[in-house]
Amino acid sequence: MTGAAPRSGIRFDGVSVAYHGNVVLDSLDLAVEPGEVMALLGPSGSGKTTALRAVAGFVQPARGRVFIGDRDVTHLPPHRRGIGMVVQQYALFPHMRVEDNVAFGLKARKVPKGQIPGRVAEALAMTGMDAYARRFPRELSGGQQQRVAIARALAIRPDVLLLDEPLSALDAQLRSGMLTELARLHRELPDVSILYVTHDQVEALTLADRIAVMDKARLQDCGTPQDLYRRPRTEFTASFVGNANLLPVRVGAGSVLFGDTELSVATDEATWGAMATLCVRPHLVGLGAGPNALRGRIVEVQWRGATHRLYVEVAGHRVKADVRELRVTPALGDEVTLHFAREDAVLLTAGVSDG
């Protein structure tokens, strides 16, 4: 199956969408490169699904333009946009066999009758469902039904593939397997741009080349999964992409003050004297003596198999530490010392990024 590189890629140019005067997507500027997987990550109501529907042609922007490749598709109907779409509820026709479900989009686009069986077989083979062509949806598991939905979207050889919470109806084990399959499909379709809407950070971190973080109808941050996780720019990104300790500090020259404790952290002269937020990931917080020591009291312990999550009250704030191989579990109320390395801390001086 071949892509169409010159026609792929997505660009939002100042796109806003409103329903009955309520803005649900506000001035979105975002580009998805040809062959890239871009995850739109955010809580419910953040605008991520509205952005996807604007690309699909199901909602009309109040302002701005949507491009697929070099084409302005803002006012084109969905069937003329060259997109494939998969939603969370599969939307298979129960009275049709798998092969007929996959062929549906091809027939709707008036693909020559002689080409349809080959295209259907190709799409089913890519999704590992070629042995199930004659079955009905009711004879398939949830994961298999979702594979058929993906095959149907791929059969039309789209320039752009839109995935709207495609794994949310699956259990954890099936979700993990489908993530592996989607990653494989991405490798096999290097020219197809994929826009993947999810509220699940693991899905976004696993699959995406870049993640656009959405909140309150606006783009809050955008970058590679590694950059957003290791060096978030905003408190929202730090808390939504992964898990984070977010501690209020006052910035000094090469250090910050958390309560009465001075901590060694890289700082910018422009922020000296200002209040900021210190971000440290729980798995980077150690138990025992070390640099940037924090003394506190155990208020909760959670066993998570390979790790213990310790909640330690320090200066009126809960600090989380994910600690491996604790042979003796601390008791509630025990006094402990936590520590973290200077290079593992990120100083957040802006509440919201400009996207």
Side-chain angles (χ1 to χ4, degrees):
M1 184 176 297
T2 58
R7 299 178 57 194
S8 65
I10 306 167
R11 180 159 60 89
F12 298 88
D13 185 3
V15 174
S16 295
V17 176
Y19 298 134
H20 307 294
N22 180 38
V23 176
V24 293
L25 185 64
D26 190 2
S27 305
L28 177 61
D29 289 306
L30 183 67
V32 183
E33 299 300 326
E36 181 178 38
V37 178
M38 173 73 78
L40 296 181
L41 177 66
S44 297
S46 61
K48 59 188 187 297
T49 294
T50 299
L52 179 140
R53 289 173 62 82
V55 177
F58 299 147
V59 298
Q60 186 65 37
R63 294 194 312 274
R65 296 183 297 169
V66 178
F67 292 83
I68 294 178
D70 57 1
R71 297 179 299 144
D72 184 343
V73 300
T74 310
H75 302 293
L76 284 182
H79 69 274
R80 292 183 56 196
R81 297 192 179 202
I83 59 171
M85 187 168 180
V86 180
V87 297
Q88 57 183 305
Q89 296 302 330
Y90 321 141
L92 300 179
F93 297 109
H95 63 286
M96 291 184 181
R97 297 182 189 275
V98 163
E99 59 188 1
D100 297 319
N101 267 283
V102 175
F104 182 82
L106 297 171
K107 294 176 180 178
R109 286 163 173 77
K110 303 188 186 309
V111 172
K113 190 174 181 179
Q115 296 181 19
I116 290 177
R119 296 270 289 270
V120 169
E122 182 183 42
L124 287 174
M126 288 195 71
T127 55
M129 291 300 293
D130 41 340
Y132 300 84
R134 298 291 296 166
R135 294 195 185 184
F136 288 97
R138 65 178 177 272
E139 299 175 299
L140 305 177
S141 69
Q144 289 169 335
Q145 290 182 48
Q146 192 61 296
R147 287 172 186 245
V148 174
I150 294 170
R152 182 174 58 187
L154 294 177
I156 64 170
R157 296 177 178 169
D159 304 313
V160 164
L161 182 60
L162 306 178
L163 302 174
D164 187 9
E165 301 274 11
L167 309 184
S168 62
L170 305 179
D171 62 34
Q173 186 172 358
L174 280 175
R175 205 157 50 233
S176 176
M178 282 300 300
L179 276 175
T180 301
E181 290 302 310
L182 287 171
R184 179 185 60 78
L185 280 172
H186 177 218
R187 293 192 297 270
E188 295 184 13
L189 299 168
D191 296 328
V192 176
S193 301
I194 299 176
L195 192 62
Y196 189 103
V197 166
T198 182
H199 66 276
D200 188 302
Q201 56 179 282
V202 174
E203 291 180 20
L205 290 169
T206 301
L207 192 64
D209 298 308
R210 286 191 299 151
I211 299 172
V213 182
M214 307 284 295
D215 188 41
K216 298 177 180 176
R218 295 185 63 88
L219 177 66
Q220 302 295 331
D221 213 338
C222 186
T224 67
Q226 294 84 358
D227 286 344
L228 293 182
Y229 187 82
R230 294 171 181 165
R231 295 291 162 184
R233 293 191 295 161
T234 70
E235 288 188 32
F236 183 81
T237 300
S239 60
F240 205 82
V241 181
N243 201 291
N245 292 298
L246 299 173
L247 308 176
V249 296
R250 183 171 295 282
V251 184
S255 65
V256 297
L257 194 63
F258 171 55
D260 295 326
T261 303
E262 185 175 8
L263 304 171
S264 176
V265 175
T267 63
D268 187 319
E269 186 175 355
T271 64
W272 291 357
M275 294 300 296
T277 300
L278 189 67
C279 170
V280 187
R281 299 293 184 185
H283 74 279
L284 298 175
V285 178
L287 179 64
N292 287 329
L294 297 171
R295 187 72 178 168
R297 180 175 57 86
I298 297 278
V299 293
E300 186 178 349
V301 178
Q302 296 176 354
W303 181 67
R304 300 190 172 193
T307 64
H308 282 82
R309 165 70 61 85
L310 307 181
Y311 292 83
V312 180
E313 185 174 307
V314 182
H317 296 272
R318 280 193 171 197
V319 179
K320 294 168 286 191
D322 290 338
V323 183
R324 285 184 172 275
E325 298 179 356
L326 277 180
R327 300 193 180 281
V328 179
T329 305
L332 298 184
D334 281 358
E335 293 286 332
V336 296
T337 299
L338 304 176
H339 67 272
F340 62 89
R342 174 188 175 93
E343 59 270 20
D344 290 335
V346 180
L347 196 61
L348 307 177
T349 56
V352 175
S353 78
D354 59 10

